[in-house]
């Protein structure tokens, strides 16, 4: 597929991989970053995009999304999810395997990869199941899944309760150089829980999931990674002791990486008050102390990067009493604005570190292309306007679902253009192109 | 929407549109309900137990979880106020066929009803309904959240015997974790200035309960020594299967309220129980039937409290409750 070269002219290019933070031009051609500099010679027919006033970053990557296809197409499809990612400023996403059927065979991994390519929007990388049918009993054919395109394995959505199986996964996966991603939750401690266990759950009369349910498995996973030398990737860390356990494990040299979600960085279980099902997710929103610890871990790098855990659900499924509503919120189209507003504009995070947390690190952890704008690398680019103010309006999401606790939030800064493989796939002005 | 707008033009109601929980009420509103219940108590003592206060009003009793006592108490209250009532239960209704709560509510609304009394297995269900229909909604128990009319009738009974509740010590004993009665009692009693404690095995006390402003006793002997009144909750038998308590026998030995334990108390402790009782588990029969028990008075007061709530939500004013009662006599 050949397309016109693009010259992104006059933007502020921020790429920590080459210690770059200056106003330069970027020429994208043949799907790669061709040149960076000023007064570049451009080929005939180059599309020149005036980027003055904007910030140009390596394409942002979200390694944790649920695209619901196959089996849950009323919530999201691979195509709608890939478009939502583009509109959210993400050039690549990793699709979790807890679909129906589960992505546990080369054929289903291949289906996700192909549907992702057909979407012609953001890149979609399949993640394979850790166990057959996500039943927690027997390892999948991990080698074949990786050959078919899987970039990691996980039973996300269902915790791996058998410690022996987790050990085997961490050992076996090493041959293929992929991380074992883990939803840390001891269901013996959390069974029946629908929100964080604490004073809010006591007040609302809802069954809580204690922090310890997550902590116990985070500690178990780092011990097993230490035992095996495998790479454990801890998803959506939400507890203070969890953050601390990861910090200590890293100091010991354990191969552990971890992610933080915008909702755990910005909200507490108080958001559930009024039985708001759009604040119901797993792991749940926790206490203020936990929120602060996750934030600290995100800033100091204990938690390597951002991930949204984009989990779309149809409005009818959320429109019921709290106990019955499914876990999860959408995140792809709010994450960048939320982090820019509440971390970058508050000067908690500089732009170079933002790129680390939202692009470079996810690429490194999951072994994906991109994460930098070096010449010769993939032309995956996110263009931001740091100053545009906007209000989160779920009706305007490209995702099929609207389940967000951030509706109505006033944000400052967001994507204006998303480029994948040298092709503009979304702009704020035109939408999907 | 137009319905709501129209309702807002009516005179201000002392309780607002709905009664979802005692957490949302202030002390004055709670006192208003208790005071309004006083004149209504007498109606149930008459030979003709009926006043025309809610004549022409349609009330749906939507009981999506089994209930005998609360449903019947509401029904008596409604009938004694001359309302037209319809009962819906989960078995044999469209709910059993998979209809959602939203659709059930919309269908009821389409039949132009005035009030819904809802009992539901899920915490928050009453509020969910109240936010979606213009009719008045009364929570008759939602999951483990609240059971406000039970809390109110407990408070009315306590007030009958102890006078003003400020400074009085009431301990709720048993499965606090799963109890909507406990939560309504805690909010209501605290708002009227009472001291409140809870007592039960740690497995059945919600973590963080102290932060609501209650004291916690892990032994029932301590609770008895401290309290002016005990509100003893039913130990649901499924809690045993859940592993929260090892056995009913052990529960009775450790937490059962017995005459021997009450005799050790420094004062006569008033005994309440929202029922239905497990005699010989959380309460011994001689306590349940003994001189300190006010358990049947609670049931009688329940009808008066529910009449008061129905009356106030329908727009009745507390000052006119006495007059409303008289109309029945004049007829």
């Amino acid at each position: 597929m050949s397309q016109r070269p693009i010259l992104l002219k006059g933007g502020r290019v921020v790429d920590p991989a080459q210690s770059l933070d200056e106003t330069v031009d970027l020429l994208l051609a043949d799907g790669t970053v061709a040149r960076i500099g000023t007064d570049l010679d451009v080929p005939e027919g180059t599309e020149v995009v005036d980027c003055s006033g904007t910030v140009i970053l390596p394409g942002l990557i979200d390694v944790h999304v649920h695209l619901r296809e196959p089996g849950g197409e009323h919530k999201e499809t691979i195509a709608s999810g890939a478009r939502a990612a583009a509109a959210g400023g993400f050039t690549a996403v990793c699709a979790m395997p807890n679909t129906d059927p589960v992505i546990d065979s080369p054929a289903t991994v291949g289906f996700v990869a192909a549907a992702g390519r057909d979407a012609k929007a953001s890149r979609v990388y399949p993640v394979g199941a850790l166990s057959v049918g996500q039943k927690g009993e027997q390892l999948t054919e991990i080698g074949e899944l990786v050959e078919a395109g899987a970039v990691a394995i996980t039973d996300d959505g269902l915790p791996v309760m058998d410690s022996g199986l987790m050990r085997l996964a961490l050992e076996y996966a090493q041959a293929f150089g992929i991380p074992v991603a883990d939803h840390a939750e001891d269901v013996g401690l959390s069974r029946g829980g629908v929100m964080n266990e604490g004073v809010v759950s006591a007040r609302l009369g809802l069954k809580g999931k204690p922090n310890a349910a997550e902590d116990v498995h985070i500690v178990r996973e780092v011990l097993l990674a230490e035992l095996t030398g495998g790479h454990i990737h801890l998803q959506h860390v939400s507890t203070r002791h969890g953050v601390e356990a990861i910090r200590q494990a890293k100091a010991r040299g354990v191969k552990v990486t971890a992610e933080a979600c915008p909702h755990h960085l910005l909200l507490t279980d108080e958001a559930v008050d009024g039985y708001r099902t759009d604040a119901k997710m797993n792991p749940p929103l926790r206490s203020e102390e936990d929120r602060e610890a996750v934030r600290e871990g995100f800033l100091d790098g204990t938690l390597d990067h951002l991930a949204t855990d984009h989990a779309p659900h149809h409005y009818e499924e959320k429109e019921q009493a709290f106990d019955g509503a499914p876990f999860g919120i959408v995140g792809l189209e709010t994450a960048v604005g939320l982090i820019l507003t509440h971390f970058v504009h508050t000067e908690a995070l500089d732009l170079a570190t933002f790129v680390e947390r939202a692009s470079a690190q996810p690429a490194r952890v999951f072994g994906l292309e991109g994460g930098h704008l070096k010449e010769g690398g993939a032309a995956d680019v996110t263009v931001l306007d740091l100053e545009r103010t906007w209000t989160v309006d779920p009706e305007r999401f490209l995702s099929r679902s609207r389940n967000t606790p951030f509706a109505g939030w006033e944000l400052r800064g967001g994507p204006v253009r998303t480029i994948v493989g040298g092709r503009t796939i979304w702009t704020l002005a035109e939408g999907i192109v | 929407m137009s319905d709501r707008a129209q309702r807002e033009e009516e005179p201000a109601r002392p309780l607002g549109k709905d009664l979802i929980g005692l957490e949302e009420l202030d002390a004055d509103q709670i006192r208003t309900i208790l005071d309004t219940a006083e004149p209504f108590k007498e109606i149930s003592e008459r030979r003709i137990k009926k006043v025309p206060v809610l004549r022409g009003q349609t009330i749906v009793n939507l009981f999506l979880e089994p209930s005998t006592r609360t449903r019947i108490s509401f029904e008596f209250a409604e009938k004694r106020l001359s309302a037209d009532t319809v009962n819906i239960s989960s078995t044999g209704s469209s709910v059993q066929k998979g209809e959602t709560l939203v659709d059930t509510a919309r269908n009821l609304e389409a039949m132009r009803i005035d009030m819904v009394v809802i009992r539901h297995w899920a915490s928050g269900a009453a509020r969910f309904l109240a936010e979606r229909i213009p009719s008045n909604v009364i929570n008759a128990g939602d999951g483990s959240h609240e059971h406000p009319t039970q809390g109110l009738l407990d408070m009315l009974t306590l007030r009958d015997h102890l006078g003003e509740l400020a400074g009085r010590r009431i301990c709720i004993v048993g499965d606090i974790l799963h109890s909507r009665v406990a939560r309504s009692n805690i909010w209501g009693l605290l708002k009227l200035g009472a001291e409140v404690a809870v007592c039960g095995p740690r497995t059945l006390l919600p973590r963080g309960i102290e932060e609501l402003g209650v004291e916690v006793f892990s032994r029932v002997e301590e609770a008895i020594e401290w309290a002016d009144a005990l509100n003893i909750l039913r130990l649901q038998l499924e809690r045993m299967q859940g592993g929260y308590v090892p056995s009913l026998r052990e529960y009775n030995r450790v937490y059962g309220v017995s005459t021997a334990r009450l005799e050790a108390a420094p004062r006569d402790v008033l005994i309440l129980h929202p029922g239905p009782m497990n005699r010989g588990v959380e309460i011994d029969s001689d306590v349940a039937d003994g001189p300190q028990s006010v358990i049947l008075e609670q049931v009688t007061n329940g009808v008066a409290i529910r009449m008061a709530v129905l009356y106030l939500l329908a727009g009745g004013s507390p000052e006119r409750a006495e007059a409303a009662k008289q109309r029945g006599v004049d007829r």
Side-chain angles (χ1 to χ4, degrees):
Chain A
M1 184 171 56
S2 82
Q3 65 258 332
R4 291 167 67 191
I6 301 176
L7 181 71
L8 299 176
K9 199 169 168 55
R12 173 184 167 196
V13 180
V14 179
D15 182 15
Q18 36 191 334
S19 304
L20 189 64
D21 185 351
E22 58 187 87
T23 301
V24 284
D25 301 341
L26 203 65
L27 179 67
L28 312 176
D30 301 324
T32 63
V33 178
R35 291 288 307 281
I36 302 177
T38 44
D39 302 324
L40 297 175
D41 286 335
V42 298
E44 206 169 316
T46 296
E47 180 193 359
V48 178
V49 180
D50 177 10
C51 290
S52 51
T54 67
V55 169
I56 295 171
L57 308 178
L60 306 182
I61 298 171
D62 184 356
V63 300
H64 192 156
V65 302
H66 297 268
L67 301 186
R68 304 304 188 200
E69 188 180 353
E73 291 84 351
H74 61 296
K75 302 169 194 259
E76 195 81 283
T77 62
I78 290 169
S80 68
R83 289 194 293 265
F90 292 98
T91 55
V93 296
C94 297
M96 293 299 120
N98 62 333
T99 50
D100 182 15
V102 169
I103 308 304
D104 62 358
S105 66
T108 45
V109 168
F111 164 77
V112 173
R117 282 191 295 276
D118 290 348
K120 298 190 168 36
S122 298
R123 297 180 199 269
V124 177
Y125 294 107
V127 173
L130 181 151
S131 68
V132 176
Q134 290 194 315
K135 291 198 175 100
E137 291 163 4
Q138 187 192 345
L139 286 186
T140 52
E141 295 159 324
I142 297 170
E144 286 202 61
L145 301 188
V146 171
E147 256 175 56
V151 296
I153 53 162
T154 185
D155 272 358
D156 180 41
L158 295 167
V160 177
M161 282 305 290
D162 182 341
S163 307
L165 182 72
M166 180 54 84
R167 175 203 173 141
L168 294 176
L170 280 164
E171 286 174 334
Y172 192 78
Q174 288 176 49
F176 312 102
I178 56 160
V180 176
D182 182 54
H183 170 121
E185 177 178 359
D186 184 330
V187 294
L189 287 167
S190 65
R191 190 171 285 116
V194 293
M195 66 171 297
N196 182 46
E197 181 179 301
V199 69
V200 181
S201 66
R203 208 154 52 73
L204 295 178
L206 292 172
K207 187 157 165 59
K209 292 175 184 260
N211 280 24
E214 185 171 340
D215 299 337
V216 163
H217 266 215
I218 288 180
V219 170
R220 183 192 77 170
E221 300 337 3
V222 297
L223 292 175
L224 291 174
E226 196 165 18
L227 173 71
T228 59
H231 175 184
I232 189 78
H233 175 73
L234 293 159
Q235 301 176 303
H236 43 48
V237 176
S238 75
T239 64
R240 54 190 185 276
H241 293 320
V243 174
E244 190 49 39
I246 294 164
R247 189 176 285 129
Q248 288 172 12
K250 284 188 164 181
R252 293 201 303 274
V254 179
K255 207 167 172 192
V256 54
T257 54
E259 65 195 33
C261 299
H263 46 276
H264 294 131
L265 289 164
L266 293 169
L267 300 173
T268 67
D269 58 0
E270 295 284 346
V272 175
D273 206 358
Y275 301 94
R276 298 296 161 217
T277 58
D278 282 339
K280 178 177 178 180
M281 76 288 288
N282 191 22
L285 299 173
R286 306 267 187 199
S287 69
E288 178 60 20
E289 254 184 300
D290 293 303
R291 191 190 69 83
E292 277 168 16
V294 171
R295 184 187 148 89
E296 199 179 307
F298 178 64
L299 292 177
D300 73 15
T302 301
L303 305 180
D304 300 77
H305 62 77
L306 194 70
T308 65
D309 193 8
H310 178 81
H313 290 293
H314 195 260
Y315 80 91
E316 270 173 22
E317 297 165 314
K318 283 287 194 179
E319 177 77 352
Q320 55 175 315
F322 198 87
D323 276 332
F327 293 100
I329 63 168
V330 291
L332 281 170
E333 291 168 83
T334 49
V336 170
L338 288 166
I339 300 302
L340 291 178
T341 306
H342 294 282
F343 283 83
V344 176
H345 282 303
T346 59
E347 294 180 1
L349 205 63
D350 59 32
L351 266 181
T353 314
F354 174 71
V355 172
E356 278 291 329
R357 297 285 183 277
S359 175
Q361 280 292 75
R364 222 168 279 147
V365 170
F366 277 65
L368 311 176
E369 62 180 333
H372 60 80
L373 292 173
K374 288 180 190 161
E375 289 176 0
D380 289 5
V381 182
T382 300
V383 183
L384 303 180
D385 176 349
L386 293 182
E387 295 307 325
R388 83 176 170 94
T389 53
W390 57 290
T391 306
V392 177
D393 177 6
E395 292 306 315
R396 301 181 65 178
F397 287 169
L398 298 190
S399 166
R400 284 199 167 179
S401 292
R402 309 272 173 270
N403 48 309
T404 174
F406 297 112
W409 281 42
E410 305 280 342
L411 301 179
R412 178 174 159 213
V416 290
R417 179 181 292 267
T418 305
I419 299 170
V420 173
R423 191 174 75 84
T424 299
I425 55 166
W426 175 86
T427 68
L428 181 64
E430 302 157 279
I432 293 290
V433 290
Chain B
M1 278 298 127
S2 63
D3 278 357
R4 274 185 205 280
Q6 200 183 329
R7 277 159 191 271
E8 276 162 18
E9 284 162 24
E10 291 174 11
R13 279 179 265 198
L15 302 184
K17 178 172 99 66
D18 312 298
L19 178 65
I20 303 304
L22 300 190
E23 184 182 359
E24 288 97 58
L25 298 187
D26 60 31
D28 282 341
Q29 289 174 310
I30 292 170
R31 277 194 210 99
T32 298
I33 300 171
L34 299 181
D35 293 346
T36 305
E38 290 295 344
F40 285 128
K41 278 182 184 173
E42 187 264 334
I43 293 169
S44 299
E45 305 301 328
R46 296 180 191 168
R47 196 173 59 81
I48 296 173
K49 302 174 178 56
K50 214 171 179 81
V51 292
V53 171
L54 295 185
R55 198 162 56 191
Q57 299 253 358
T58 313
I59 302 178
V60 173
N61 297 313
L62 182 60
F63 277 65
L64 302 180
E65 189 187 63
S67 161
T68 308
R69 177 175 325 243
T70 303
R71 185 173 55 77
I72 290 174
S73 180
F74 264 107
E75 227 181 310
F76 275 132
E78 291 155 3
K79 290 193 154 78
R80 286 174 192 177
L81 295 176
S82 309
D84 296 318
T85 65
V86 176
N87 295 328
I88 302 173
S89 63
S90 48
T91 48
S93 72
S94 52
V95 178
Q96 204 177 22
K97 298 173 193 163
E99 187 174 77
T100 66
L101 186 53
V102 186
D103 285 336
T104 305
R106 286 184 186 146
N107 276 281
L108 292 173
E109 201 63 41
M111 292 182 232
R112 302 290 179 261
I113 55 160
D114 298 293
M115 287 195 199
V116 180
V117 177
I118 180 173
R119 157 70 60 95
H120 198 281
W121 51 268
S123 299
R127 179 177 174 138
F128 178 90
L129 188 67
E131 286 172 347
R132 283 160 182 80
I133 60 173
S135 308
N136 307 112
V137 172
I138 300 175
N139 183 6
D142 62 327
S144 309
H145 176 226
E146 282 222 43
H147 190 350
T149 56
Q150 179 72 44
L152 289 162
L153 74 88
D154 291 345
M155 291 162 75
L156 185 63
T157 310
L158 286 164
R159 204 172 73 164
D160 287 348
H161 289 269
L162 302 177
E164 280 309 308
L165 296 177
R168 292 299 192 161
R169 293 173 157 186
I170 292 96
C171 183
I172 308 157
V173 183
D175 179 2
I176 311 297
L177 184 62
H178 301 95
S179 175
R180 50 196 172 216
V181 176
R183 284 172 183 75
S184 287
N185 266 275
I186 290 169
W187 292 121
L189 289 165
L190 287 176
K191 288 184 186 201
L192 292 196
E195 291 180 43
V196 183
V198 296
C199 172
R202 269 284 166 188
T203 49
L204 292 173
L205 301 180
R207 225 159 49 83
I209 190 82
E210 299 89 343
E211 292 178 50
L212 301 188
V214 302
E215 203 151 334
V216 175
F217 295 114
S218 49
R219 299 302 297 252
V220 75
E221 293 85 351
E222 297 165 5
I224 290 171
E225 195 187 326
W226 175 87
D228 294 313
L230 296 182
N231 198 343
I232 304 165
L233 303 177
R234 170 185 170 79
L235 183 77
Q236 286 179 315
L237 301 182
E238 56 263 35
R239 299 300 164 232
M240 274 238 322
Q241 285 132 26
Y244 293 96
V245 292
S247 72
L248 294 182
R249 197 178 66 93
E250 163 134 325
Y251 186 84
N252 179 256
R253 282 178 86 96
V254 184
Y255 293 99
V257 177
S258 63
T259 304
R261 284 186 168 139
L262 287 180
E263 277 169 356
R267 62 190 82 76
D268 280 351
V269 180
L270 204 63
I271 300 295
L272 292 87
H273 192 302
M277 287 184 282
N278 293 312
R279 288 168 180 265
V281 182
E282 70 270 5
I283 186 168
D284 285 2
S285 277
D286 47 355
V287 174
D289 305 328
Q292 286 152 251
S293 165
V294 292
I295 295 169
L296 290 174
E297 290 173 44
Q298 289 174 270
V299 178
T300 308
N301 279 340
V303 178
I305 280 290
R306 286 165 183 133
M307 289 169 82
V309 167
L310 292 163
Y311 169 77
L312 291 171
L313 284 181
S317 78
E319 299 77 34
R320 287 203 296 269
E322 188 67 33
K325 182 184 90 173
Q326 289 307 325
R327 268 187 280 158
V329 179
D330 296 344
R331 197 165 55 145

